[in-house]
Amino acid sequence: ASVLDLAAIRADFPILDETLNGQPLIYLDSGATAQKPRVVLDAEIDFLTRNNSAVHRGAHTLAAEATELFEDARATVAGFVGAAPDDLVWTSGATAAINLVAYAIGNATAGRGAPASARFALAPGDEIVVTEAEHHANLIPWQELAARTGAVIRAIRVHDNATLDLAHAASVISERTRIVAFTHVSNVSGIVSPVAELVALARAVGALTVLDACQSAPHLPVDFAELGVDLAAFSGHKLLGPYGIGALYGRSEILEALPPFLTGGSMITDVTIDSAEYLPAPLKFEAGTQPVSQAVGLAAAVRYLEGLDMGAVHAREQDLGNRMIAGLREIPGVRVLGDAEGVERVGLASFDVTGVHAHDVGQFLDARGIAVRVGHHCAKPLHRRLGLTASVRASASVFTTDDDITALLEGVAAVRDYFGADE
Ligand code: PMP
């Protein structure tokens, strides 16, 4: 794989010229939201300046150009994740994408949709399997679906080192399982899930697989078709792209059979006062005016990443993640969440500093110009499982330097002295 030219990459990100508390910004919070390279900002401004118009309607040239850019963006982003353009539905983000699936399955359960939709209907006692490591966005929509249908939630346990317990997965996934929803990369440990194993277990019982690719798509080569998942969700703002855009991927026969969630304009072929016929996917799932400039911006983001080579990005960021974990391990009183050997990971690590609250650690680092995330990172069940209420999370991006990691480690090493924490 090619080697990243860090100086050139850093020059592409305008925010790196900013200071934080009078110090050069060390941004280690890309897991929450990524910084945007100038090409993304320019793509949005350019679209809004020169091409802005309503897509999929209007006979004028500007509308046709905007529609072309919008659909080109779909093809670009779909290609980035190994999907055909029609297998990619725009949403406002991963949360919206997962809710779309959960509500569509609820609609199928209520008897809505084409005859083929009946395959998704849930019956009381049917099981929806998640993992203990899920972000709330890939948990609560399933809880709500379970509450509406009488289905039951079951969770695959994690080991003490936050890796998934595959033996437990094999016992939890059964003939009663209808959906298996799990994260590709944990937003707490940064560990890559054993997707092939989970997909095999789900397929063996005919269950639908839903992958949360929020923390994988920005950091490693992702090919949903190759992974064999039925559905997958990711967010643009974590992928160096704009806010308010994300996507749901679905295998074409799944999207074809799934009933819509949101309904309204732009998703129909015919409407009478008491009935409507829907367009095929993906437009069936895109009711209302879409985030067009954001789609164009996201396409610019994935082109930027493709230009760097996702294999090289992954190699570099995995190295940063390993450096972070190795360094954190050395610091007395620091516990790494997901301290597992020999696993594939991204450049993200969460940790606890004995005797110092995560928020204090965050403030201490902030004073040194280092931006990290503190709290439960929308993964309360995993924190509870690991015996914590909060942790500190550092997450790298394509522009993160070795010096950034050294500054983080020096900062964390100084924290306990500063707060006078005892062993
Ligand atoms: N899943 C994971 C693993 C995440 O990290 C996030 C964002 N923190 C989400 C889902 C939700 O993404 P969004 O808020 O962009 O919808």
Side-chain angles (χ1 to χ4, degrees):
S2 52
V3 174
L4 302 183
D5 180 348
L6 270 182
I9 292 172
R10 290 182 70 79
D12 292 333
F13 287 80
I15 205 161
L16 296 177
D17 295 338
E18 299 295 310
T19 54
L20 189 62
N21 295 313
Q23 323 258 3
L25 170 64
I26 298 180
Y27 187 75
L28 290 174
D29 199 16
S30 294
T33 201
Q35 299 301 348
K36 320 325 176 182
R38 193 180 298 283
V39 285
V40 170
L41 312 178
D42 286 349
E44 267 203 277
I45 290 174
D46 204 47
F47 176 86
L48 293 169
T49 309
R50 303 188 319 137
N51 309 104
N52 185 51
S53 189
V55 302
H56 292 150
R57 62 192 104 178
H60 57 81
T61 306
L62 207 54
E65 281 171 7
T67 302
E68 199 177 316
L69 286 166
F70 181 61
E71 291 303 329
D72 280 354
R74 189 195 305 274
T76 301
V77 175
F80 181 71
V81 291
D86 284 352
D87 296 347
L88 195 96
V89 177
W90 296 121
T91 64
S92 65
T95 302
I98 297 167
N99 274 278
L100 185 167
V101 175
Y103 276 93
I105 292 173
N107 289 342
T109 305
R112 302 293 303 154
S117 304
R119 68 189 268 204
F120 300 114
L122 296 176
D126 280 351
E127 294 181 353
I128 302 171
V129 171
V130 295
T131 83
E132 283 183 328
E134 295 316 305
H135 187 282
H136 298 162
N138 198 28
L139 175 60
I140 305 172
W142 305 119
Q143 294 174 350
E144 285 291 315
L145 176 62
R148 288 196 301 278
T149 60
V152 177
I153 303 281
R154 303 209 50 199
I156 298 165
R157 288 196 295 253
V158 298
H159 296 295
D160 291 344
N161 67 7
T163 58
L164 293 180
D165 182 340
L166 276 177
H168 189 243
S171 75
V172 165
I173 297 171
S174 75
E175 294 297 331
R176 287 189 299 276
T177 307
R178 301 297 311 286
I179 300 165
V180 182
F182 59 99
T183 197
H184 193 178
V185 171
S186 163
N187 71 313
V188 175
S189 70
I191 296 173
V192 181
S193 300
V195 178
E197 286 84 345
L198 292 170
V199 165
L201 288 169
R203 274 205 184 148
V205 297
L208 198 68
T209 47
V210 184
L211 188 72
D212 176 350
C214 269
Q215 299 289 348
S216 58
H219 304 295
L220 46 111
V222 166
D223 185 322
F224 293 134
E226 203 174 288
L227 290 169
V229 293
D230 293 313
L231 295 150
F234 58 94
S235 285
H237 71 97
K238 293 180 198 277
L239 233 177
L240 314 187
Y243 289 110
I245 182 92
L248 172 71
Y249 156 83
R251 290 201 297 117
S252 44
E253 61 271 36
I254 302 285
L255 290 185
E256 210 172 289
L258 209 57
F261 163 40
L262 295 177
T263 53
S266 304
M267 49 84 71
I268 54 83
T269 53
D270 194 20
V271 182
T272 66
I273 274 301
D274 46 28
S275 74
E277 281 166 28
Y278 305 138
L279 282 161
L283 299 184
K284 175 174 74 172
F285 299 105
E286 294 179 359
T289 303
Q290 294 299 298
V292 180
S293 59
Q294 294 91 326
V296 170
L298 181 54
V302 310
R303 276 196 296 269
Y304 180 80
L305 284 170
E306 282 170 343
L308 298 181
D309 180 320
M310 286 308 289
V313 167
H314 180 37
R316 165 72 187 158
E317 292 183 3
Q318 173 151 252
D319 186 50
L320 291 170
N322 286 334
R323 282 202 50 192
M324 267 197 257
I325 287 168
L328 289 165
R329 269 186 198 139
E330 304 271 296
I331 304 171
V334 170
R335 171 186 165 202
V336 174
L337 281 66
D339 193 349
E341 295 285 356
V343 293
E344 188 182 0
R345 44 170 93 244
V346 300
L348 176 154
S350 296
F351 57 94
D352 175 58
V353 182
T354 310
V356 185
H357 196 280
H359 287 80
D360 289 336
V361 178
Q363 266 183 19
F364 182 83
L365 295 174
D366 182 61
R368 293 172 166 233
I370 305 171
V372 294
R373 172 87 188 262
V374 298
H376 51 66
H377 323 310
C378 299
K380 275 201 155 201
L382 181 60
H383 277 81
R384 195 170 288 123
R385 162 68 180 85
L386 299 175
L388 298 166
T389 53
S391 63
V392 183
R393 182 182 73 189
S395 48
S397 184
V398 290
F399 53 69
T400 304
T401 64
D402 290 358
D403 288 349
D404 292 345
I405 304 304
T406 303
L408 168 77
L409 296 172
E410 284 172 1
V412 176
V415 155
R416 294 180 79 246
D417 272 351
Y418 181 83
F419 287 98
D422 292 320
E423 198 52 64

